[in-house]
Amino acid sequence: GNSVTQMEGPVTLSEEAFLTINCTYTATGYPSLFWYVQYPGEGLQLLLKATKADDKGSNKGFEATYRKETTSFHLEKGSVQVSDSAVYFCALSSNNAGNMLTFGGGTRLMVKP
Amino acid sequence: DTGVSQDPRHKITKRGQNVTFRCDPISEHNRLYWYRQTLGQGPEFLTYFQNEAQLEKSRLLSDRFSAERPKGSFSTLEIQRTEQGDSAMYLCASSLRSRQGMGGYTFGSGTRLTVV
């Protein structure tokens, strides 16, 4: 079946530091890959997506590249802000699973001023 | 577009009681999903509807759980004889079938259930 593994948190960084959150996946077929963000007290929001190999998703300074050869979709940001503090979820959906989302366990990011 | 609404936001219930949650999706979305999220974990799929038809149910959805979407609009999730292990955040999401593969899900803020 499909599965997503992401690095455990919390990840604690100082403002303006470089961020990487690792995500690897197992899936049959050709899944679409996503990063969702959950701010305190709010629902999940789509941060970025990539639907085929070598695609790069980007939004709000965050980027992730769909790497089929390493089955990875690592999230990066060059300079984090305090407002980026949240929980980040890597997820995939595939046609052979009814396009339901399969999520990783989430990584909490804490950015200190 | 007012987004996906879930009611109530919080529910505290005694073990053994029944609870029902409601989800109002975005009106033009034909697919509706329920997920469960326990503390420190990612959301886990429970079930989904296309219009009023329930198309798939997870093994996580025991016989104490039932979901309906009677007119293809709002949905309810009922848990009978609640157990402490049912304590979690219950998330609803909706999408257009044609937009799913592009990440076209919209999530509600969830209902947090605490069973005491």
Side-chain angles (χ1 to χ4, degrees):
Chain A
N2 296 339
S3 67
V4 176
T5 302
Q6 57 183 109
M7 62 189 289
E8 291 189 17
V11 174
T12 303
L13 296 174
S14 297
E15 206 164 23
E16 299 184 1
F18 183 86
L19 168 71
T20 300
I21 301 178
N22 291 337
C23 171
T24 56
Y25 68 89
T26 301
T28 55
Y30 302 94
S32 296
L33 302 174
F34 310 93
W35 278 99
Y36 280 82
V37 59
Q38 188 172 36
Y39 298 102
E42 298 185 16
L44 288 162
Q45 301 173 26
L46 178 65
L47 180 60
L48 54 84
K49 64 180 185 289
T51 58
K52 60 182 187 298
D54 299 324
D55 268 2
K56 177 185 283 188
S58 61
N59 186 26
K60 300 181 181 180
F62 291 88
E63 293 182 340
T65 301
Y66 189 143
R67 301 287 189 199
K68 195 173 191 312
E69 64 276 13
T70 55
T71 61
S72 65
F73 193 55
H74 305 321
L75 182 68
E76 297 182 335
K77 186 175 186 183
S79 176
V80 294
Q81 306 299 312
V82 172
S83 57
D84 294 327
S85 299
V87 181
Y88 292 82
F89 293 93
C90 186
L92 68 83
S93 71
S94 63
N95 288 334
N96 66 345
N99 286 116
M100 283 88 75
L101 288 169
T102 300
F103 287 89
T107 302
R108 180 174 297 279
L109 170 65
M110 300 171 62
V111 181
K112 297 184 175 180
Chain B
D1 177 1
T2 57
V4 176
S5 299
Q6 292 190 244
D7 183 68
R9 291 293 302 272
H10 304 276
K11 178 71 177 179
I12 300 174
T13 191
K14 292 183 179 179
R15 189 174 51 187
Q17 297 295 304
N18 299 345
V19 294
T20 300
F21 311 140
R22 177 179 170 123
C23 172
D24 287 272
I26 292 174
S27 57
E28 61 266 30
H29 284 184
N30 50 11
R31 284 200 170 177
L32 185 148
Y33 295 77
W34 286 99
Y35 286 82
R36 182 173 69 185
Q37 185 180 15
T38 52
L39 202 60
Q41 301 297 316
E44 296 172 296
F45 168 75
L46 292 178
T47 188
Y48 87 95
F49 294 83
Q50 181 164 304
N51 301 313
E52 67 276 8
Q54 188 173 17
L55 295 188
E56 187 151 346
K57 294 193 289 186
S58 162
R59 288 171 295 177
L60 292 175
L61 212 66
S62 77
D63 57 6
R64 296 185 297 105
F65 287 70
S66 61
E68 295 182 344
R69 194 183 183 197
K71 297 182 179 178
S73 57
F74 74 91
S75 175
T76 58
L77 177 68
E78 181 184 16
I79 309 175
Q80 296 182 326
R81 305 180 304 281
T82 52
E83 302 172 355
Q84 287 187 322
D86 297 332
S87 296
M89 177 76 84
Y90 290 83
L91 298 170
C92 178
S94 68
S95 74
L96 282 171
R97 180 174 183 269
S98 60
R99 293 288 298 162
Q100 269 175 247
M102 302 297 291
Y105 297 83
T106 302
F107 280 86
S109 297
T111 293
R112 181 169 296 284
L113 173 66
T114 303
V115 182
V116 297

